[in-house]
């Protein structure tokens, strides 16, 4: 039996679908298509799930973050923008930054020392900065520097309260 070192993400039970996608669903321009799927991984890491959609004639996929409904179920919708075939698919990955942040907040709640975790977070922000456009990269590097500087309480405030740094990290995920 082959072992996998990386956690695996499973996407299944995508709806709407007719005969497993063999036949197209039908909507009219302006109507919304609500897409749901079961998405899970073989660990306790946080997931990021994205709905990708586009008219068949377009080259570029539009991305819509999916909302976690609980019990491994995720949902997002998009509007039919023009007459013709529209394509959609789902992409999901382990979100290292969200996993790190979730664990950090849990450790803070019980009063544990988080100095090492803050340095790990700074590294994750630097990695996101390397993937980001220049405007986002500057904000990510500033947040990483704040995590490395000052006392632990000041550094913790950067990510526990700074929604901007969290949003920048979410916009520049490591999907590999």
């Amino acid at each position: 039996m082959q072992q996998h070192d990386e956690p695996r993400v499973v996407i299944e039970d995508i709806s709407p679908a007719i005969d497993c996608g063999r036949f197209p669903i039908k909507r009219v321009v302006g109507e919304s298509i609500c897409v749901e799927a079961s998405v899970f991984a073989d660990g306790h890491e946080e997931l990021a799930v994205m709905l990708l959609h586009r008219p068949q004639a377009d080259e570029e996929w539009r991305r819509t973050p999916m909302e976690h409904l609980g019990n491994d179920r995720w949902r997002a919708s998009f509007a039919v923008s023009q007459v013709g075939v529209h394509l959609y698919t789902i992409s999901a990955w382990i979100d290292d930054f969200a996993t790190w942040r979730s664990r950090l907040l849990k450790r803070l709640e019980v009063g544990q020392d988080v100095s090492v975790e803050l340095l790990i977070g700074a590294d994750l922000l630097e990695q996101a900065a390397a993937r980001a456009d220049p405007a986002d990269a500057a904000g990510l590097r500033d947040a990483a520097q704040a995590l490395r500087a000052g006392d632990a309480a000041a550094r913790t405030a950067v990510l526990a309260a700074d929604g901007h740094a969290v949003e920048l990290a979410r916009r520049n995920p490591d999907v590999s």
Side-chain angles (χ1 to χ4, degrees), residues 59-89:
E59 297 273 331
E60 184 119 358
W61 289 97
R62 295 176 183 109
R63 300 174 171 276
T64 304
M66 295 187 79
E67 172 190 4
H68 187 228
L69 303 174
N71 212 20
D72 298 331
R73 201 71 182 153
W74 295 76
R75 176 189 300 149
S77 22
F78 67 96
V80 175
S81 59
Q82 62 192 42
V83 174
V85 176
H86 284 62
L87 305 174
Y88 60 91
T89 189

Side-chain angles (χ1 to χ4, degrees), residues 101 125 142-144 146-147 153-166:
R101 187 168 183 268
L125 290 169
D142 288 346
L147 286 178
R155 293 182 290 173
T156 301
V158 169
L159 289 189
D162 185 0
H164 182 65
V166 172

Side-chain angles (χ1 to χ4, degrees), residues 20-129:
C20 296
R22 186 172 174 200
F23 301 103
I25 63 169
K26 296 181 180 179
R27 299 290 187 276
V28 297
V29 173
E31 281 189 332
S32 188
I33 297 176
C34 181
V35 179
E36 288 191 13
S38 295
V39 183
F40 53 92
D42 62 353
H44 298 288
E45 289 85 1
E46 299 287 325
L47 295 175
V49 184
M50 192 75 60
L51 172 65
L52 287 77
H53 56 92
R54 66 181 172 89
Q56 188 173 24
D58 287 3
E59 297 273 331
E60 184 119 358
W61 289 97
R62 295 176 183 109
R63 300 174 171 276
T64 304
M66 295 187 79
E67 172 190 4
H68 187 228
L69 303 174
N71 212 20
D72 298 331
R73 201 71 182 153
W74 295 76
R75 176 189 300 149
S77 22
F78 67 96
V80 175
S81 59
Q82 62 192 42
V83 174
V85 176
H86 284 62
L87 305 174
Y88 60 91
T89 189
I90 296 172
S91 177
W93 60 91
I94 301 295
D95 188 334
D96 292 329
F97 182 79
T99 299
W100 167 82
R101 187 168 183 268
S102 172
R103 291 177 180 165
L104 172 73
L105 294 174
K106 287 176 186 174
R107 289 176 186 218
L108 287 170
E109 284 178 15
V110 295
Q112 290 183 349
D113 176 26
V114 294
S115 53
V116 172
E117 285 79 9
L118 292 172
L119 295 175
I120 293 168
D123 287 344
L124 289 170
L125 290 169
E126 289 286 350
Q127 292 167 20

